[in-house]
Amino acid sequence: MFPFEDYTWLNYIGQVVDILLVTYVVYKLIMIIRGTRAVQLVKGITVILVVWFVSRFFGLRTLEFLMSQTLTYGLLAIIIIFQPELRRALEQLGRGRFFSSRTPPEDDSTKKSIDGIVKASVYMGKRRIGALMSVERETGMSDYVETGIAMDAHLTSELLINTFIPNTPLHDGAVIIKGDKILAAACYLPLSENPFISKELGTRHRAALGVSEVTDCLTIIVSEETGAISLTKNSELHRDLDEEQLRLLLENELLTESKQQTSSRWKWGGKKNG
């Protein structure tokens, strides 16, 4: 007698829904940790699990004991070492696409924003005007917006340049951008506490790396000392970018994101006004 004979159609539907939900959650977790140091953590845990299974299969008691202790007491170490990644994951759970639905920006609007950011960055780089610009994506940045001066202004290269002119009220701090709007200026960003950051990097670079550790934003840095342009994302620093490299990085991240969101809306909900 097969155990499945006692199942009703509701049981089968429940099992299917259970599998789909678990698959979706695992997929979202993979997308959250992609491109972060947590990827290396997952690889390390996988190696430990493989060694544990092998040692248990072949009866290697000492090795099995060591691996078991590593998994048991390693959880606390993981929480401490990977605090930025865990915080970022929790922020995305609360603010990202798990619980909210954003209207994707239009490609034309995104391209104009990219043009404005690139033009302003190149102009300020040539004149060694220090700048820090964060582009909000999935993870909300309202906590950091509140630390600055609200602007809610249409993004233009001229406005960005004027904001960072030395000895003006808004030049010190970061500008936070969302879509084609400048939300605020003179914002404070969290400094990275990574001990492996090069000593030659200043406060702007540390702030850019710090905010990239807890959000998925893109942050552009223009060095006041050298005029070099850099960009941070997912705790990664891309240094000494020229105009084309900066434009390509922004287009790859922002335009691709826009297309993916538009495709997702067509797949699940159809066209908003159609």
Side-chain angles (χ1 to χ4, degrees), residues 99-249:
F99 302 120
S100 63
S101 177
R102 282 197 324 178
T103 301
E106 297 293 334
D107 278 354
D108 289 343
S109 174
T110 303
K111 288 179 180 177
K112 289 180 180 178
S113 298
I114 292 173
D115 288 340
I117 294 171
V118 172
K119 183 178 178 181
S121 300
V122 173
Y123 180 94
M124 291 186 287
K126 291 179 178 178
R127 291 158 180 79
R128 298 192 178 184
I129 299 173
L132 188 61
M133 299 168 279
S134 286
V135 182
E136 179 181 316
R137 300 171 74 191
E138 287 299 320
T139 306
M141 300 185 68
S142 58
D143 291 345
Y144 308 117
V145 170
E146 292 173 358
T147 65
I149 306 299
M151 294 183 67
D152 194 25
H154 183 72
L155 189 157
T156 63
S157 58
E158 291 79 10
L159 182 55
L160 285 173
I161 293 168
N162 284 334
T163 301
F164 288 107
I165 293 296
N167 301 320
T168 57
L170 301 179
H171 87 283
D172 193 18
V175 159
I176 297 180
I177 299 166
K178 182 177 181 180
D180 60 352
K181 294 285 186 180
I182 300 176
L183 300 182
C187 300
Y188 292 96
L189 302 181
L191 298 181
S192 175
E193 297 181 0
N194 187 340
F196 303 107
I197 295 177
S198 173
K199 300 298 182 183
E200 67 184 33
L201 298 179
T203 304
R204 287 191 179 90
H205 290 83
R206 287 185 174 273
L209 282 168
V211 76
S212 75
E213 292 172 354
V214 295
T215 75
D216 62 350
C217 72
L218 302 176
T219 302
I220 301 92
I221 315 104
V222 180
S223 173
E224 188 173 356
E225 288 75 22
T226 65
I229 301 172
S230 305
L231 181 144
T232 63
K233 68 181 184 75
N234 294 331
S235 305
E236 299 174 354
L237 176 62
H238 302 263
R239 301 181 63 183
D240 300 324
L241 303 174
D242 59 27
E243 181 176 352
E244 291 305 316
Q245 290 172 328
L246 176 61
R247 185 183 300 277
L248 183 61
L249 277 172

Side-chain angles (χ1 to χ4, degrees), residues 74-88:
L75 179 60
L76 179 60
I78 289 171
I79 294 174
I80 296 172
I81 296 172
F82 291 92
Q83 182 269 339
E85 282 77 12
L86 293 173
R87 178 179 173 182
R88 177 171 177 254

